[in-house]
Short mmCIF file of all heavy atoms in Angstrom, two decimals:
data_model
loop_
_atom_site.label_atom_id
_atom_site.label_comp_id
_atom_site.label_asym_id
_atom_site.label_seq_id
_atom_site.Cartn_x
_atom_site.Cartn_y
_atom_site.Cartn_z
N ALA A 12 13.31 -11.39 -15.11
CA ALA A 12 14.60 -10.83 -15.47
C ALA A 12 15.70 -11.70 -14.86
O ALA A 12 15.43 -12.54 -14.00
CB ALA A 12 14.72 -9.39 -14.97
N THR A 13 16.92 -11.46 -15.33
CA THR A 13 18.06 -12.27 -14.89
C THR A 13 18.88 -11.51 -13.86
O THR A 13 19.04 -10.29 -13.96
CB THR A 13 18.94 -12.63 -16.10
OG1 THR A 13 18.12 -13.28 -17.08
CG2 THR A 13 20.08 -13.54 -15.70
N GLU A 14 19.40 -12.24 -12.92
CA GLU A 14 20.26 -11.66 -11.89
C GLU A 14 21.39 -10.88 -12.56
O GLU A 14 22.00 -11.35 -13.52
CB GLU A 14 20.83 -12.78 -11.02
CG GLU A 14 21.56 -12.32 -9.79
CD GLU A 14 22.03 -13.48 -8.93
OE1 GLU A 14 22.04 -14.63 -9.44
OE2 GLU A 14 22.38 -13.26 -7.76
N GLY A 15 21.63 -9.65 -12.06
CA GLY A 15 22.68 -8.82 -12.61
C GLY A 15 22.24 -7.90 -13.73
O GLY A 15 22.96 -6.96 -14.10
N ALA A 16 21.07 -8.15 -14.28
CA ALA A 16 20.57 -7.37 -15.41
C ALA A 16 19.82 -6.12 -14.93
O ALA A 16 19.82 -5.78 -13.74
CB ALA A 16 19.66 -8.24 -16.27
N ILE A 17 19.20 -5.43 -15.91
CA ILE A 17 18.40 -4.24 -15.64
C ILE A 17 16.96 -4.53 -16.07
O ILE A 17 16.72 -5.18 -17.09
CB ILE A 17 18.93 -3.02 -16.43
CG1 ILE A 17 20.37 -2.70 -16.03
CG2 ILE A 17 18.04 -1.81 -16.23
CD1 ILE A 17 21.03 -1.63 -16.89
N VAL A 18 16.00 -4.03 -15.29
CA VAL A 18 14.60 -4.21 -15.67
C VAL A 18 13.86 -2.90 -15.46
O VAL A 18 14.16 -2.14 -14.55
CB VAL A 18 13.94 -5.35 -14.87
CG1 VAL A 18 13.74 -4.97 -13.41
CG2 VAL A 18 12.62 -5.77 -15.49
N GLN A 19 12.91 -2.63 -16.35
CA GLN A 19 12.08 -1.43 -16.27
C GLN A 19 10.63 -1.83 -16.11
O GLN A 19 10.09 -2.57 -16.94
CB GLN A 19 12.25 -0.58 -17.54
CG GLN A 19 11.38 0.66 -17.57
CD GLN A 19 11.65 1.52 -18.79
OE1 GLN A 19 12.80 1.83 -19.11
NE2 GLN A 19 10.60 1.93 -19.47
N ILE A 20 10.00 -1.37 -15.05
CA ILE A 20 8.59 -1.68 -14.78
C ILE A 20 7.78 -0.42 -15.05
O ILE A 20 8.01 0.62 -14.43
CB ILE A 20 8.39 -2.14 -13.32
CG1 ILE A 20 9.25 -3.37 -13.03
CG2 ILE A 20 6.92 -2.43 -13.07
CD1 ILE A 20 9.22 -3.81 -11.58
N ASN A 21 6.85 -0.52 -15.98
CA ASN A 21 6.07 0.64 -16.39
C ASN A 21 4.76 0.76 -15.63
O ASN A 21 4.19 -0.23 -15.17
CB ASN A 21 5.76 0.55 -17.88
CG ASN A 21 7.01 0.63 -18.73
OD1 ASN A 21 7.96 1.33 -18.39
ND2 ASN A 21 7.03 -0.09 -19.83
N CYS A 22 4.30 2.00 -15.55
CA CYS A 22 3.03 2.30 -14.88
C CYS A 22 2.37 3.45 -15.64
O CYS A 22 2.98 4.50 -15.82
CB CYS A 22 3.27 2.68 -13.43
SG CYS A 22 1.83 3.36 -12.56
N THR A 23 1.15 3.24 -16.10
CA THR A 23 0.39 4.33 -16.71
C THR A 23 -0.84 4.59 -15.86
O THR A 23 -1.41 3.65 -15.28
CB THR A 23 -0.03 4.01 -18.16
OG1 THR A 23 -0.79 2.80 -18.15
CG2 THR A 23 1.18 3.83 -19.05
N TYR A 24 -1.23 5.85 -15.79
CA TYR A 24 -2.33 6.18 -14.90
C TYR A 24 -3.31 7.16 -15.55
O TYR A 24 -2.93 7.97 -16.41
CB TYR A 24 -1.81 6.76 -13.57
CG TYR A 24 -1.01 8.05 -13.72
CD1 TYR A 24 -1.63 9.28 -13.70
CD2 TYR A 24 0.36 8.00 -13.88
CE1 TYR A 24 -0.90 10.45 -13.83
CE2 TYR A 24 1.11 9.16 -14.02
CZ TYR A 24 0.48 10.38 -13.99
OH TYR A 24 1.20 11.55 -14.14
N GLN A 25 -4.56 7.03 -15.16
CA GLN A 25 -5.61 7.98 -15.54
C GLN A 25 -6.37 8.29 -14.26
O GLN A 25 -7.11 7.43 -13.75
CB GLN A 25 -6.54 7.36 -16.58
CG GLN A 25 -5.87 7.07 -17.91
CD GLN A 25 -6.75 6.21 -18.83
OE1 GLN A 25 -7.35 5.24 -18.37
NE2 GLN A 25 -6.82 6.56 -20.09
N THR A 26 -6.13 9.46 -13.72
CA THR A 26 -6.72 9.81 -12.43
C THR A 26 -7.34 11.19 -12.49
O THR A 26 -7.04 11.99 -13.39
CB THR A 26 -5.67 9.78 -11.31
OG1 THR A 26 -4.59 10.66 -11.65
CG2 THR A 26 -5.13 8.38 -11.10
N SER A 27 -8.17 11.49 -11.52
CA SER A 27 -8.77 12.81 -11.38
C SER A 27 -7.74 13.70 -10.70
O SER A 27 -7.66 13.77 -9.48
CB SER A 27 -10.05 12.72 -10.55
OG SER A 27 -10.97 11.83 -11.13
N GLY A 28 -6.95 14.36 -11.49
CA GLY A 28 -5.88 15.18 -10.95
C GLY A 28 -4.66 14.35 -10.56
O GLY A 28 -4.69 13.10 -10.58
N PHE A 29 -3.60 15.04 -10.23
CA PHE A 29 -2.34 14.35 -9.90
C PHE A 29 -1.61 15.16 -8.84
O PHE A 29 -1.37 16.37 -9.01
CB PHE A 29 -1.49 14.21 -11.16
CG PHE A 29 -0.15 13.58 -10.90
CD1 PHE A 29 -0.01 12.21 -10.89
CD2 PHE A 29 0.97 14.38 -10.67
CE1 PHE A 29 1.22 11.62 -10.65
CE2 PHE A 29 2.21 13.80 -10.43
CZ PHE A 29 2.33 12.42 -10.42
N ASN A 30 -1.23 14.46 -7.77
CA ASN A 30 -0.45 15.12 -6.71
C ASN A 30 0.72 14.27 -6.28
O ASN A 30 1.18 14.37 -5.13
CB ASN A 30 -1.35 15.45 -5.52
CG ASN A 30 -2.12 16.74 -5.71
OD1 ASN A 30 -1.55 17.80 -5.96
ND2 ASN A 30 -3.44 16.65 -5.62
N GLY A 31 1.18 13.41 -7.18
CA GLY A 31 2.37 12.64 -6.86
C GLY A 31 2.18 11.16 -7.15
O GLY A 31 1.07 10.65 -7.20
N LEU A 32 3.29 10.48 -7.37
CA LEU A 32 3.28 9.05 -7.69
C LEU A 32 4.30 8.34 -6.81
O LEU A 32 5.44 8.80 -6.67
CB LEU A 32 3.59 8.84 -9.17
CG LEU A 32 3.51 7.40 -9.70
CD1 LEU A 32 2.97 7.38 -11.12
CD2 LEU A 32 4.84 6.69 -9.61
N PHE A 33 3.88 7.24 -6.24
CA PHE A 33 4.73 6.45 -5.35
C PHE A 33 5.00 5.08 -5.98
O PHE A 33 4.16 4.52 -6.68
CB PHE A 33 4.03 6.19 -4.01
CG PHE A 33 3.79 7.41 -3.17
CD1 PHE A 33 2.65 8.17 -3.33
CD2 PHE A 33 4.70 7.78 -2.19
CE1 PHE A 33 2.41 9.28 -2.55
CE2 PHE A 33 4.47 8.88 -1.40
CZ PHE A 33 3.32 9.65 -1.58
N TRP A 34 6.17 4.55 -5.67
CA TRP A 34 6.49 3.15 -5.93
C TRP A 34 6.78 2.47 -4.60
O TRP A 34 7.52 3.00 -3.76
CB TRP A 34 7.70 3.01 -6.85
CG TRP A 34 7.43 3.28 -8.29
CD1 TRP A 34 7.63 4.45 -8.97
CD2 TRP A 34 6.91 2.35 -9.25
NE1 TRP A 34 7.26 4.31 -10.28
CE2 TRP A 34 6.82 3.04 -10.48
CE3 TRP A 34 6.50 1.02 -9.20
CZ2 TRP A 34 6.35 2.42 -11.65
CZ3 TRP A 34 6.05 0.40 -10.34
CH2 TRP A 34 5.97 1.09 -11.55
#
Side-chain angles (χ1 to χ4, degrees):
Chain A
T13 304
E14 189 177 15
I17 299 173
V18 71
Q19 177 176 310
I20 302 174
N21 295 326
C22 169
T23 57
Y24 61 89
Q25 294 169 316
T26 56
S27 303
F29 177 85
N30 278 304
L32 185 144
F33 294 87
W34 283 97

